[in-house]
Amino acid sequence: MFLSVTDVFKLGIGPSSSHTMGPMVAAARFVSQIAQGHGKYPGCGPLVRLSATLHGSLAFTGKGHATDRAVILGLCGLTPDTLDPDRADEVEADVRRDLHIPLAGFGPLRFDPAHDLVFDYGPALPRHANGMVLRGHDAQGHIYYAQTYYSVGGGFIVTEDELSRAEQGVPLRAHKEALDFPFPFGSAREMLEMGRASGKTVAQMKRANERKLHGPRLEGELERIWGAMEACINRGLARDGILPGGLNVKRRARDLHGALLAEQGLNQAAPHVINDWMSLYAMAVNEENAAGGPVVTAPTNGAAGVVPAVMRYYRDHCLPARGGDPVQKRHDFLLVAAAIGGLIKHNASISGAEVGCQGEVGSAAAMAAAGLCAVLGGTNEQVENAAEIALEHHLGMTCDPAAGLVQVPCIERNALGAIKAVSAASLALRGDGTHFMPLDNCIQVMLETGRDMSAKYKETSTGGLAVNLPEC
């Protein structure tokens, strides 16, 4: 098992990694395969039309997550990592007006979003709650090519065949597994054992693994990730107004930032005001995400504010007093956080549609707690303990976004996730690393809890907070 830091922290767009980024990637991959000559069914005539059907959570909350827009942009060949938001608006408008998708080598293909993009509110596809089927048709309506995709969280996409092979233990990224990583830990227990045997920290082991993949480009990749995170925080701090979607949720980060700056130096703030700073950074990110802006999955868009908030808290509020190389520290933070995120993704899930928000904000809090503990000097055992504490105290958290929008309760939930991450790291550092519940067991419990959770509370907006809205 190996998930790179660039897999865990991907550059993309809001509002959702699984409902926006994933479907866009799937649609772009689908048309790319057609353009490369893959899959034309025998006896089928020339390709003239495309269609898409969204199932499960992609259908129930797809409107609020802009899944329809994402599919349109993906079919036009656009991807989240290179998307120009201004250009995207123009491309979507062209498709909705002309009812065609341009595809090199085929000319314009008919695609009417009102009829060819179907939200199927029936039972979800059997393998995952986030399923979608993309099809190409000839003039008689026969299937030219079809593919089923699952958006499994964090912008990751797998086909029906890939998911089937993964369930049988066949790695999805065999080319990476062949690199013979020096520390191929697939569990927290293995991570700690390898650390004891080698005398290396989690950050050092993860860095050695990443160098096998990225070589001398690793530092540049880490700087790119942090640069995108910080830019997202700063955009969120600079903007105000009402978030799109119809809930009339007001951006609060800018006003909160101004109030906190005005209080500095007045000797009037309570000690717990530091929680407001952490909340501020997280809310800034998730307000940007809710507005459809550029964001970094950490490990998902819905939980994108936790890790950047704790990193910014460490840099601005801890590092000046403690000293140390800020570049080295943020790289170590990202590497350790990615190591924990990879373990959770590999052994459970980071998809809110599969396991609820415990898999999103809970995972993000575990990642942030581990990263902070590491850069504050924690041992490997304390790092593992910090991640376990943070994840344990998110167990059972539902994913019930109002109107299918990543706004209520998601924005504030990231703020509280950051606060809990810092508390978890602090508790772990006060101990010696020994504790009752191993991280591996906690990850397994999270998966089992998610499987037992009612579908109403797993990103369908059919239960919980999503159906208990003010009537005024």
Side-chain angles (χ1 to χ4, degrees):
M1 187 283 301
F2 181 78
L3 284 177
S4 172
V5 65
T6 55
D7 292 325
V8 176
F9 298 116
K10 292 190 288 294
L11 276 62
I13 60 164
S16 172
S17 49
S18 59
H19 289 62
T20 312
M21 290 174 58
M24 189 184 303
V25 171
R29 184 183 300 179
F30 180 73
V31 293
S32 175
Q33 289 175 334
I34 290 177
Q36 294 169 20
H38 291 291
K40 179 182 178 181
Y41 293 171
C44 187
L47 178 67
V48 300
R49 182 172 69 89
L50 300 175
S51 69
T53 306
L54 306 175
H55 298 267
S57 179
L58 291 184
F60 282 103
T61 62
K63 293 288 187 180
H65 289 84
T67 307
D68 49 350
R69 180 175 190 265
V71 171
I72 292 171
L73 296 178
L75 291 176
C76 291
L78 302 182
T79 56
D81 55 334
T82 60
L83 185 69
D84 178 349
D86 294 332
R87 170 63 179 153
D89 291 341
E90 180 182 337
V91 170
E92 181 190 10
D94 288 346
V95 171
R96 292 189 181 278
R97 181 190 66 243
D98 300 334
L99 308 182
H100 285 101
I101 295 287
L103 183 60
F106 291 86
L109 301 175
R110 293 203 308 272
F111 183 79
D112 180 355
H115 298 97
D116 295 321
L117 183 51
V118 178
F119 290 78
D120 188 325
Y121 299 108
L125 297 181
R127 292 191 179 274
H128 196 278
N130 289 333
M132 58 188 294
V133 182
L134 299 175
R135 301 178 179 90
H137 309 264
D138 68 10
Q140 286 71 44
H142 300 140
I143 300 297
Y144 179 96
Y145 178 56
Q147 187 64 267
T148 298
Y149 295 94
Y150 295 98
S151 183
V152 295
F156 290 93
I157 284 292
V158 293
T159 65
E160 182 90 27
D161 181 61
E162 288 171 338
L163 191 55
S164 176
R165 287 188 288 115
E167 291 171 351
Q168 299 170 21
V170 180
L172 293 179
R173 295 170 176 81
H175 66 288
K176 290 183 179 179
E177 304 303 328
L179 290 176
D180 190 24
F181 295 103
F183 302 100
F185 52 84
S187 67
R189 179 182 60 79
E190 291 176 352
M191 180 182 73
L192 294 177
E193 289 175 350
M194 291 179 188
R196 294 187 194 105
S198 66
K200 294 185 179 295
T201 65
V202 174
Q204 289 169 339
M205 290 189 291
K206 182 64 172 170
R207 181 176 279 105
N209 287 344
E210 294 288 344
R211 287 200 185 282
K212 291 285 288 187
L213 181 64
H214 296 292
R217 297 181 291 107
L218 176 59
E219 281 68 29
E221 291 293 330
L222 294 171
E223 283 298 284
R224 183 173 67 97
I225 291 168
W226 169 243
M229 287 179 171
E230 185 171 39
C232 189
I233 293 175
N234 291 338
R235 285 194 306 273
L237 296 181
R239 297 182 179 181
D240 57 11
I242 302 297
L243 293 172
L247 288 181
N248 294 318
V249 173
K250 184 180 183 297
R251 285 181 181 252
R252 290 181 287 165
R254 179 178 176 180
D255 289 346
L256 178 56
H257 190 217
L260 289 172
L261 290 175
E263 291 176 3
Q264 285 185 327
L266 297 180
N267 295 322
Q268 296 177 348
H272 60 254
V273 75
I274 192 62
N275 289 338
D276 295 340
W277 282 99
M278 285 185 278
S279 297
L280 165 70
Y281 302 141
M283 291 168 62
V285 171
N286 284 86
E287 287 175 357
E288 277 297 289
N289 177 63
V295 69
V296 178
T297 64
T300 67
N301 282 29
V306 178
V307 170
V310 177
M311 290 186 70
R312 180 73 169 255
Y313 158 75
Y314 172 74
R315 189 196 71 181
D316 290 358
H317 302 272
C318 300
L319 192 60
R322 299 178 66 90
D325 180 355
V327 176
Q328 178 73 28
K329 292 291 188 181
R330 64 174 170 258
H331 289 185
D332 285 353
F333 194 119
L334 289 171
L335 290 167
V336 172
I340 299 301
L343 292 179
I344 297 173
K345 173 75 171 65
H346 174 65
N347 294 302
S349 175
I350 58 172
S351 168
E354 188 173 12
V355 296
C357 198
Q358 58 175 351
E360 296 204 34
V361 170
S363 297
M367 294 163 59
L372 180 62
C373 185
V375 296
L376 289 175
T379 65
N380 289 351
E381 288 73 19
Q382 289 172 320
V383 166
E384 185 262 359
N385 188 15
E388 186 278 328
I389 293 170
L391 183 59
E392 181 179 45
H393 297 288
H394 283 87
L395 290 177
M397 181 173 282
T398 59
C399 183
D400 47 356
L405 300 167
V406 193
Q407 297 177 21
V408 178
C410 317
I411 295 171
E412 288 180 351
R413 189 166 283 176
N414 275 256
L416 273 293
I419 292 169
K420 291 167 83 170
V422 173
S423 297
S426 182
L427 281 174
L429 287 166
R430 294 292 183 181
D432 61 4
T434 60
H435 56 104
F436 182 80
M437 183 62 65
L439 175 60
D440 290 329
N441 296 53
C442 191
I443 291 172
Q444 180 62 29
V445 170
M446 189 261 279
L447 177 61
E448 293 171 356
T449 302
R451 287 173 173 170
D452 291 340
M453 189 181 293
S454 169
K456 293 192 301 182
Y457 306 112
K458 292 192 289 187
E459 211 165 357
T460 58
S461 290
T462 57
L465 294 172
V467 298
N468 286 276
L469 300 177
E471 296 180 2
C472 57

